[in-house]
Amino acid sequence: MHIPVCETNQLEIISFEDALRNEAQGSFEYDTSKWLYVPNAYTEYRYILGTRGENPLICIGINPSTAKPDELDNTLKSVERTAAFNGFDSFIMFNVYAQRATNPKDMDSEFNKSLHNENMNAFRYILSLYGEGKTPAVWAAWGTIIEKRPYLIPCVKDMIEIGNQFGAKWYTVGKRSVKGHPHHPLYLKNNSPVDDFDIESYIQGI
């Protein structure tokens, strides 16, 4: 379990740029040639967790929990399996909001704009990994938890705008909710295919 120690507005937030620079210096705790983990140590927030490759599937959840390199939780194990089944050579777990909380009910009651801005810098970086002329594959996977906080949908709107700048292609996996929310990765079948997702129509309808 991870219960936040406080609202993230009370923390000193490491910028994504500084956290990425620290990650590039390596870690004795995990294989940096395999894993991308920013920040590179367990903290109250996480920008990126994934494996390195040429064709990653970017999965977007709501917020990070306890997973870290070589210690994936069941959600991340499902993400890894789904990426492999659909022909991707790696996966990246990203989140609408970067604060760690095993129970989304423990997320910030007040929106932390600074944390969000750094998280969006991380999203731009992830999309840039594809290189010019390649189409980033983004898997919307936040489930109905998107309704837990009023600031989460505006965060998604920012991600859509950034995704458009990079020509991102959006997908879902599994059955969507009655309101059209994408399925959470947990409890997906091992052979679940990605489905095209009209993210613009979705966001306009909620």
Side-chain angles (χ1 to χ4, degrees):
M1 297 289 291
H2 186 101
I3 301 174
V5 297
C6 61
E7 294 274 306
T8 58
N9 283 314
Q10 300 174 39
L11 300 173
E12 182 178 350
I13 302 297
I14 302 173
S15 71
F16 173 70
E17 182 179 356
D18 287 344
L20 183 64
R21 186 180 302 112
N22 292 339
E23 200 274 343
Q25 294 174 358
S27 170
F28 296 107
E29 296 183 359
Y30 62 93
D31 182 355
T32 54
S33 67
K34 175 183 178 181
W35 294 100
L36 179 60
Y37 185 44
V38 187
N40 66 348
Y42 194 92
T43 62
E44 287 293 309
Y45 52 93
R46 188 188 75 211
Y47 298 126
I48 301 171
L49 171 59
T51 51
R52 298 181 185 273
E54 298 297 322
N55 183 35
L57 176 60
I58 303 169
C59 180
I60 312 295
I62 279 292
N63 69 303
S65 187
T66 59
K68 54 185 180 178
D70 298 315
E71 296 182 29
L72 301 183
D73 57 20
N74 288 335
T75 295
L76 269 292
K77 290 176 182 177
S78 179
V79 170
E80 185 175 43
R81 289 193 301 267
T82 300
F85 174 77
N86 285 278
F88 296 90
D89 67 356
S90 52
F91 74 91
I92 294 175
M93 189 71 211
F94 190 71
N95 290 278
V96 175
Y97 199 65
Q99 182 189 27
R100 282 189 194 268
T102 302
N103 188 337
K105 292 180 180 179
D106 294 326
M107 283 192 297
D108 285 339
S109 58
E110 298 294 330
F111 177 55
N112 185 336
K113 183 173 177 57
S114 295
L115 181 61
H116 172 65
N117 288 343
E118 295 304 330
N119 201 39
M120 293 302 96
N121 288 336
F123 191 49
R124 290 185 185 90
Y125 171 78
I126 292 169
L127 297 176
S128 75
L129 294 177
Y130 278 82
E132 188 175 354
K134 294 185 178 180
T135 302
V138 183
W139 168 14
W142 45 77
T144 58
I145 308 172
I146 194 72
E147 300 178 1
K148 289 292 184 184
R149 293 289 186 270
Y151 55 75
L152 293 173
I153 290 175
C155 289
V156 172
K157 290 180 178 178
D158 286 347
M159 295 177 64
I160 294 171
E161 183 177 346
I162 294 169
N164 288 341
Q165 296 170 12
F166 287 84
K169 173 71 174 176
W170 290 80
Y171 301 96
T172 59
V173 179
K175 187 177 180 180
R176 299 168 199 163
S177 76
V178 173
K179 292 185 179 180
H181 298 313
H183 197 289
H184 189 276
L186 202 57
Y187 306 124
L188 287 173
K189 294 181 180 179
N190 292 343
N191 60 346
S192 297
V194 296
D195 299 311
D196 291 349
F197 187 40
D198 186 345
I199 190 74
E200 298 285 356
S201 295
Y202 162 77
I203 207 68
Q204 292 172 11
I206 58 175

